[in-house]
Amino acid sequence: MADTCVNQDGCHSEEESSVAEETMFSMADMFLLSLIVGLLTYWFFFRKKKEETIEFKVQTTVASSSSRESSFVEKMKKTGKNIVVFYGSQTGTGEEFANRLAKDAHRYGMRGMSADPEEFEMVDLGRLKDIENSLAVFCMATYGEGDPTDNAQDFYDWLQEADVDLSGLNFAVFGLGNKTYEHFNAMGKYVDKRLEELGAERIFELGMGDDDGNLEEDFITWREQFWPAVCEHFGVEATGEESSIRQYELVVHTDENMNKVYTGEMGRLKSYEIQKPPFDAKNPFLGNVTVNRKLNQGGERHLMHLELDITGSKIRYESGDHVAVYPANESSIVNKLGELLGVDLDTVISLNNLDEESNKKHPFPCPTTYRTALTYYLDVTNPPRTNVLYELAQYATDPKEQETLRKMASSSSDGKALYLNWVLEARRNIVAILEDIPSLRPPLDHLCELLPRLQARYYSIASSSKVHSNSIHICAVVVEYETKTGRFNKGVATNWLRNKQPTDNGHKSSVPMYVRKSQFRLPFKPTTPVIMIGPGTGIAPFVGFIQEREWLKQQGKEVGETVLYYGCRHEHEDYLYKEELGKFHKDGVLTQLHVAFSRDQEEKVYVQHLLKKNKENMWKLINEENAHIYVCGDARYMARDVQNTFYDIVEEYGKMDHSQAVDYIKKLMTKGRYSQDVWS
């Protein structure tokens, strides 16, 4: 923006010098000059108007990134910190763990801060040794198929290209992953390995959390061994301070201008009233719901197809990308919390960071009301983590109930087992815990400080932008289940989306959303055959793929074999997009359509059984015609079973042993010819 200002000043000074010399010109020259000046003035004011908008945007960016221009090392020196905990976080858990570790530091006479690597120049890691007893910890989550999270992408790129000497840097890494994925904890492993290669000293072994098991327990187990290692390395001792330390202070606003109060926006105030591109996680677009229909004809479940209008948003997407939506918690849960804690939910509040130097001024956009915070900003439906129980325990007036909470938050084997059974397996959210522990009545502002942020939910886009340039389609199943305590839990986003009808009391229903790019892509050459395997809602990206292949055919392009393996429970209940798929097959866009109805006969039939049935054709497509394989859906069972089936096919027709077949499939993955878009 500085360059623009210089140019403006330059133009202005040229005009003044021209005017100063006007006496030297003839009348004709003066007339011509006046005309030019008039045109310049007209152009200047129109240009200025245009640039004022740009300047406004830049100013909002500068306000949020002033810290980005400073060094985290300088920040640490200024605030007396010696431990920095960086997080790579997509759903908020990595950030949450980083905050907990930073908070732990005071118990050992040290001072910690958590930091987003996106906000700092990571080359400064080489300068961290300037601070005595300094340590960098990395809580790094892995996204999808071994990818870094969005906020850690730049850090990952830098690590790959970095040629720096990090000797003297002390570090430790805790990875967050899921064992059902092929590349378990890839980001944590890479950061740990790469920092050592660059000369840094690992002071404690890599921790690997598994979200398919018990991520919280994995973290606690690593953490309870990590801190003694820190003490030994730096020659410090635990202070024994276990008291709860508040990070934020409550400010109640009695005369706040309501135009300055957040009502659910993710970033800029009033961003939902005045929408400005580009749209991303901090500035979502409000897409109007134009279609919301039930896909299944029967059964207990509700499967739905939604269409979001993105006209005028400048949002671009490719088949295979993900759409992220920001949901809202049910008003009944929010009201129940207010009722249990005896609080007026419409009170306007701010939670201000007690550390004035912190990048994070508030835990969520402030000022706002308790109702807004609990509806749009805070996760009130997931079972709370042990650190929340530990902090809340002080407010239980019954000694036995306080002891139970502290036990569940402890690292003892009994405590871990109790937490697993009573909280995780019973799926008790904060409302259920308050109901079942009657003496626990914490101040709502402290609870709001402790609860994690409500995160965006990601869905594979079920449309092609070549066919639907102004809309994004979602295919999802509504999550509803009964817990072992007899409570009825509902998935936040899917139930919220279910109720988003195109018109609601005369108003258009809208969904805050943005697009996240994916590596799940059709082959560059349309002639390349594709094998798509997607049971249930795993069909979503393939609807987009097939639409795109049809569009390519309509453009006169030669399109290769397009093969789909789809699975559902019953043909007459939950065969999603039956008519559409049937038409694609009839028109020759889908050259092969194989559908497994798992429960329409005595013996269950799944997609992997149909793959085995057509194994010779599969091998021909893969080995001779260089087909690309795509798998979408459940990671825990389906994706694993499908992969094992391909191992068997390769063994049989490629005349290989098992380890060679595994290597063959792994090479396909490396080449981008075997792609997975799976969830656990």
Side-chain angles (χ1 to χ4, degrees):
M1 204 61 217
D3 289 343
T4 310
C5 295
V6 168
N7 289 340
Q8 279 186 8
D9 292 341
C11 292
H12 205 57
S13 61
E14 281 172 17
E15 286 173 34
E16 287 173 355
S17 60
S18 298
V19 173
E21 292 171 342
E22 71 177 310
T23 53
M24 298 170 66
F25 298 124
S26 67
M27 288 297 288
D29 288 332
M30 284 176 67
F31 174 78
L32 188 61
L33 184 64
S34 300
L35 185 64
I36 291 167
V37 169
L39 287 168
L40 280 171
T41 306
Y42 179 81
W43 169 81
F44 176 78
F45 280 111
F46 266 76
R47 177 171 176 264
K48 189 175 181 186
K49 275 182 186 176
K50 188 179 177 183
E51 287 186 350
E52 274 171 357
T53 309
I54 297 168
E55 271 186 62
F56 172 73
K57 282 186 189 171
V58 172
Q59 283 170 359
T60 57
T61 307
V62 168
S64 65
S65 67
S66 56
S67 57
R68 190 175 301 180
E69 294 164 2
S70 65
S71 156
F72 70 84
V73 173
E74 294 306 316
K75 195 176 188 72
M76 290 171 73
K77 285 178 178 177
K78 186 177 177 182
T79 55
K81 306 278 171 60
N82 58 348
I83 294 180
V84 57
V85 191
F86 292 102
Y87 55 86
S89 186
Q90 196 71 28
T91 62
T93 310
E95 181 180 358
E96 193 185 324
F97 285 179
N99 289 334
R100 286 162 71 174
L101 289 171
K103 199 170 180 180
D104 280 344
H106 84 278
R107 297 178 186 166
Y108 304 92
M110 306 174 92
R111 293 192 66 196
M113 64 177 256
S114 63
D116 184 342
E118 198 173 33
E119 295 184 357
F120 294 102
E121 291 295 333
M122 296 305 285
V123 70
D124 273 358
L125 282 171
R127 295 178 50 225
L128 192 58
K129 62 188 175 189
D130 296 348
I131 298 173
E132 190 180 354
N133 284 1
S134 61
L135 170 65
V137 186
F138 298 84
C139 289
M140 307 306 294
T142 299
Y143 182 82
E145 292 305 305
D147 300 324
T149 57
D150 291 350
N151 78 310
Q153 183 67 55
D154 291 344
F155 174 46
Y156 175 73
D157 294 342
W158 175 77
L159 276 179
Q160 287 190 306
E161 299 162 10
D163 184 20
V164 293
D165 179 11
L166 294 183
S167 56
L169 170 70
N170 300 304
F171 80 93
V173 179
F174 182 81
L176 296 84
N178 188 310
K179 271 189 179 156
T180 57
Y181 288 78
E182 180 72 23
H183 305 282
F184 174 57
N185 257 314
M187 189 59 181
K189 289 173 184 173
Y190 178 74
V191 172
D192 184 69
K193 175 173 165 280
R194 186 66 180 135
L195 290 174
E196 185 180 47
E197 287 173 353
L198 294 171
E201 182 183 354
R202 182 189 299 104
I203 70 158
F204 190 60
E205 66 191 34
L206 168 67
M208 290 200 283
D210 177 19
D211 200 30
D212 187 49
N214 185 343
L215 185 60
E216 177 72 10
E217 184 175 332
D218 294 338
F219 176 67
I220 291 170
T221 302
W222 180 84
R223 176 181 166 223
E224 69 185 19
Q225 296 169 328
F226 163 73
W227 284 113
V230 171
C231 291
E232 186 179 345
H233 185 87
F234 294 115
V236 296
E237 290 182 12
T239 60
E241 289 179 43
E242 293 289 332
S243 59
S244 171
I245 294 178
R246 291 291 299 267
Q247 191 179 348
Y248 299 93
E249 65 176 348
L250 171 68
V251 175
V252 176
H253 304 279
T254 52
D255 56 352
E256 188 69 29
N257 180 345
M258 293 309 286
N259 283 325
K260 294 180 179 177
V261 175
Y262 282 86
T263 57
E265 307 95 321
M266 291 301 131
R268 177 175 53 84
L269 185 68
K270 303 295 179 191
S271 63
Y272 288 170
E273 292 178 25
I274 305 167
Q275 294 255 275
K276 295 178 184 176
F279 297 104
D280 55 26
K282 292 173 183 173
N283 182 36
F285 176 71
L286 290 180
N288 287 330
V289 177
T290 55
V291 174
N292 184 350
R293 63 184 170 93
K294 188 178 180 183
L295 284 170
N296 52 319
Q297 292 78 44
E300 296 175 357
R301 300 181 304 162
H302 182 100
L303 295 115
M304 57 190 173
H305 171 91
L306 282 95
E307 297 183 12
L308 306 178
D309 186 1
I310 56 169
T311 304
S313 67
K314 297 184 180 175
I315 289 173
R316 299 287 175 265
Y317 73 94
E318 298 292 331
S319 303
D321 282 344
H322 297 147
V323 58
V325 304
Y326 282 106
N329 290 308
E330 270 196 3
S331 58
S332 59
I333 296 172
V334 173
N335 290 336
K336 187 68 178 174
L337 264 172
E339 183 188 313
L340 284 166
L341 299 179
V343 173
D344 177 4
L345 294 177
D346 296 312
T347 305
V348 180
I349 61 146
S350 287
L351 287 180
N352 298 335
N353 202 317
L354 292 163
D355 178 1
E356 292 180 1
E357 295 296 328
S358 174
N359 284 29
K360 201 171 181 180
K361 302 302 179 192
H362 316 283
F364 44 77
C366 290
T368 190
T369 64
Y370 280 124
R371 187 182 304 283
T372 298
L374 293 169
T375 303
Y376 298 104
Y377 300 138
L378 297 170
D379 185 344
V380 297
T381 60
N382 269 317
R385 299 197 184 277
T386 55
N387 65 304
V388 177
L389 300 183
Y390 174 81
E391 299 258 4
L392 292 181
Q394 62 184 303
Y395 300 113
T397 53
D398 182 301
K400 282 187 178 178
E401 292 180 345
Q402 187 175 112
E403 186 185 343
T404 300
L405 285 165
R406 290 205 189 280
K407 186 177 180 180
M408 285 191 289
S410 75
S411 55
S412 71
S413 56
D414 286 354
K416 288 176 182 176
L418 183 60
Y419 174 75
L420 176 65
N421 175 268
W422 199 81
V423 178
L424 295 185
E425 291 176 354
R427 300 297 300 170
R428 276 185 171 88
N429 58 31
I430 190 61
V431 171
I433 286 170
L434 291 173
E435 286 176 336
D436 292 346
I437 302 182
S439 82
L440 178 61
R441 293 296 178 262
L444 185 52
D445 63 289
H446 197 179
L447 183 62
C448 288
E449 175 180 324
L450 294 171
L451 290 173
R453 283 289 295 267
L454 183 59
Q455 299 294 327
R457 271 42 173 191
Y458 298 87
Y459 298 95
S460 300
I461 296 176
S463 54
S464 165
S465 59
K466 300 285 194 298
V467 182
H468 301 281
S469 59
N470 287 322
S471 69
I472 283 176
H473 301 181
I474 294 173
C475 168
V477 57
V478 175
V479 177
E480 298 172 302
Y481 61 94
E482 188 178 346
T483 71
K484 65 182 193 181
T485 63
R487 291 182 170 94
F488 198 61
N489 282 4
K490 295 179 178 181
V492 176
T494 53
N495 278 277
W496 175 75
L497 286 171
R498 178 183 185 168
N499 294 321
K500 288 280 179 182
Q501 296 305 318
T503 52
D504 185 11
N505 293 329
H507 296 97
K508 289 181 179 177
S509 289
S510 60
V511 171
M513 49 75 66
Y514 66 96
V515 167
R516 188 186 194 278
K517 295 296 174 189
S518 163
Q519 300 301 315
F520 206 66
R521 287 279 182 270
L522 276 169
F524 181 71
K525 291 181 180 176
T527 52
T528 303
V530 296
I531 301 163
M532 303 170 290
I533 301 136
T537 55
I539 187 72
F542 302 137
V543 173
F545 279 12
I546 300 163
Q547 286 176 1
E548 189 147 327
R549 301 280 269 198
E550 181 184 50
W551 180 84
L552 287 164
K553 283 190 83 168
Q554 289 169 352
Q555 305 307 304
K557 299 276 174 64
E558 186 186 343
V559 176
E561 285 262 321
T562 305
V563 181
L564 175 66
Y565 285 84
Y566 172 67
C568 61
R569 294 178 182 181
H570 302 283
E571 181 176 4
H572 300 295
E573 272 190 15
D574 54 355
Y575 186 171
L576 308 185
Y577 302 106
K578 182 178 180 179
E579 289 76 19
E580 292 94 323
L581 294 176
K583 186 177 184 302
F584 285 134
H585 191 216
K586 185 183 173 186
D587 294 347
V589 179
L590 258 181
T591 49
Q592 293 183 42
L593 174 59
H594 306 279
V595 188
F597 304 110
S598 63
R599 302 182 189 184
D600 272 352
Q601 60 287 312
E602 198 173 318
E603 193 174 324
K604 289 185 178 175
V605 176
Y606 297 115
V607 285
Q608 63 267 23
H609 298 133
L610 299 188
L611 283 168
K612 278 181 184 171
K613 194 176 175 183
N614 301 305
K615 55 190 177 180
E616 191 174 351
N617 177 244
M618 286 296 96
W619 175 247
K620 183 176 178 289
L621 286 170
I622 297 163
N623 193 53
E624 294 177 24
E625 300 182 33
N626 295 316
H628 283 222
I629 301 165
Y630 300 90
V631 182
C632 183
D634 164 57
R636 189 180 284 112
Y637 302 112
M638 182 278 298
R640 184 192 62 202
D641 292 341
V642 164
Q643 200 164 316
N644 286 333
T645 301
F646 277 114
Y647 292 156
D648 293 342
I649 292 170
V650 173
E651 276 185 61
E652 183 178 347
Y653 288 92
K655 303 290 188 285
M656 302 179 198
D657 62 27
H658 184 70
S659 63
Q660 289 172 321
V662 170
D663 285 343
Y664 182 94
I665 294 296
K666 290 272 166 65
K667 279 176 186 167
L668 291 185
M669 290 177 172
T670 306
K671 290 175 183 174
R673 283 185 52 204
Y674 192 120
S675 304
Q676 298 186 94
D677 182 1
V678 293
W679 54 85
S680 177

